[in-house]
Amino acid sequence: MISLWRLFCSLKINAGAAGILCYVGAYVFITYDDYDHFFEDVYTLIPAVVIIAVGALLFIIGLIGCCATIRESRCGLATFVIILLVVFVTEVVVVVLGYVYRAKVENEVDRSIQKVYKTYNGTNPDAASRAIDYVQRQLHCCGIHNYSDWENTDWFKETKNQSVPLSCCRERASSCNGSLAHPADLYAEGCEALVVKKLQEIMMHVIWAALAFAAIQLLGMLCACIVLCRRSRDPAYELLITGGAYA
């Protein structure tokens, strides 16, 4: 009964950990999809892919570890320790990649956002135009550095109405029509800095998740090694003295 309870609890913990890792990876994919026009480096999603793969394998790894621990199989425990070591190294790699790509975010956004704003077409919005409107509404920003950046776009020059997109209007400004004559109705902060901040934040989610579960894997390896050492110290056979005879 105790062994079954240990197995059940361990499986619940591993299933929960796997679910959290997959959720974090999926969250990164979904969020980056909203900002993909501002960030062209698809390799940045590698940490998210790896963390989802680790999460998917974690439940199976936990099942192997539970069975090996209950049976106290030296071969099973040794295999479990090796697998945990591989997972631990993988999570460390995720952390390193996360920091590397987090540092590249600002340069990538700065290079891409200029192109996106130049292709904006408010009258017949394409995917890039919808992305700009989405970001300006969600992050409460306007333009690249501020709303005056719109004056340098082809869309602004073609419309000739001295106004910016309605997505620049503050939520509380009910009568806002995007006119530059009423700058108080527009978001004052530019979008570039906020997009960089948002992307760096979600990359930090991956880094912290990988660090947390790397620590858990390290603890799991330690526990498995303790059981393995205890098993290796057990005598291979016992001398039983029964009636003066050796069995």
Side-chain angles (χ1 to χ4, degrees):
M1 181 63 69
I2 295 176
S3 294
L4 288 175
W5 176 250
R6 287 167 59 190
L7 177 61
F8 176 71
C9 290
S10 184
L11 286 176
K12 283 183 68 177
I13 292 172
N14 280 281
I20 292 172
L21 287 175
C22 290
Y23 171 79
V24 171
Y27 170 74
V28 172
F29 269 102
I30 293 171
T31 307
Y32 264 83
D33 186 58
D34 295 331
Y35 298 90
D36 61 349
H37 288 87
F38 305 97
F39 201 88
E40 299 176 350
D41 189 356
V42 295
Y43 296 105
T44 306
L45 293 175
I46 290 177
V49 173
V50 175
I51 206 171
I52 289 176
V54 170
L57 292 173
L58 196 57
F59 181 80
I60 299 174
I61 293 171
L63 182 61
I64 295 172
C66 288
C67 295
T69 303
I70 291 172
R71 293 175 177 272
E72 294 194 357
S73 166
R74 292 187 63 184
C75 181
L77 285 171
T79 302
F80 179 59
V81 170
I82 293 172
I83 294 174
L84 281 182
L85 180 61
V86 172
V87 173
F88 175 78
V89 172
T90 303
E91 288 171 338
V92 171
V93 170
V94 169
V95 172
V96 174
L97 288 176
Y99 273 108
V100 169
Y101 288 125
R102 184 176 180 272
K104 294 175 61 178
V105 165
E106 188 170 357
N107 290 333
E108 285 289 328
V109 172
D110 183 60
R111 185 177 63 190
S112 302
I113 199 169
Q114 303 279 351
K115 301 177 185 177
V116 180
Y117 269 83
K118 285 182 179 179
T119 59
Y120 183 84
N121 185 346
T123 57
N124 184 23
D126 55 13
S129 300
R130 289 196 299 271
I132 290 174
D133 287 330
Y134 173 83
V135 166
Q136 292 189 152
R137 289 193 181 99
Q138 291 295 314
L139 301 183
H140 298 170
C141 58
C142 183
I144 300 173
H145 303 103
N146 54 58
Y147 57 80
S148 65
D149 292 325
W150 279 105
E151 297 180 78
N152 300 319
T153 63
D154 294 335
W155 173 82
F156 184 89
K157 295 172 183 176
E158 289 172 3
T159 56
K160 299 179 181 179
N161 59 6
Q162 297 297 305
S163 64
V164 296
L166 295 179
S167 56
C168 282
C169 293
R170 295 179 183 271
E171 291 180 345
R172 58 179 175 79
S174 56
S175 60
C176 176
N177 60 3
S179 174
L180 291 179
H182 304 284
D185 292 340
L186 308 175
Y187 293 122
E189 192 168 359
C191 294
E192 181 177 0
L194 295 178
V195 169
V196 170
K197 181 180 178 182
K198 182 69 174 180
L199 294 176
Q200 288 181 338
E201 282 178 356
I202 62 176
M203 187 57 67
M204 282 304 299
H205 292 330
V206 174
I207 292 172
W208 283 115
L211 280 174
F213 287 101
I216 293 174
Q217 302 304 325
L218 192 61
L219 181 61
M221 283 190 291
L222 179 62
C223 293
C225 286
I226 291 173
V227 175
L228 188 60
C229 291
R230 185 184 66 184
R231 178 65 177 166
S232 64
R233 288 198 300 267
D234 289 341
Y237 59 90
E238 295 180 354
L239 288 175
L240 300 178
I241 303 176
T242 307
Y246 292 101

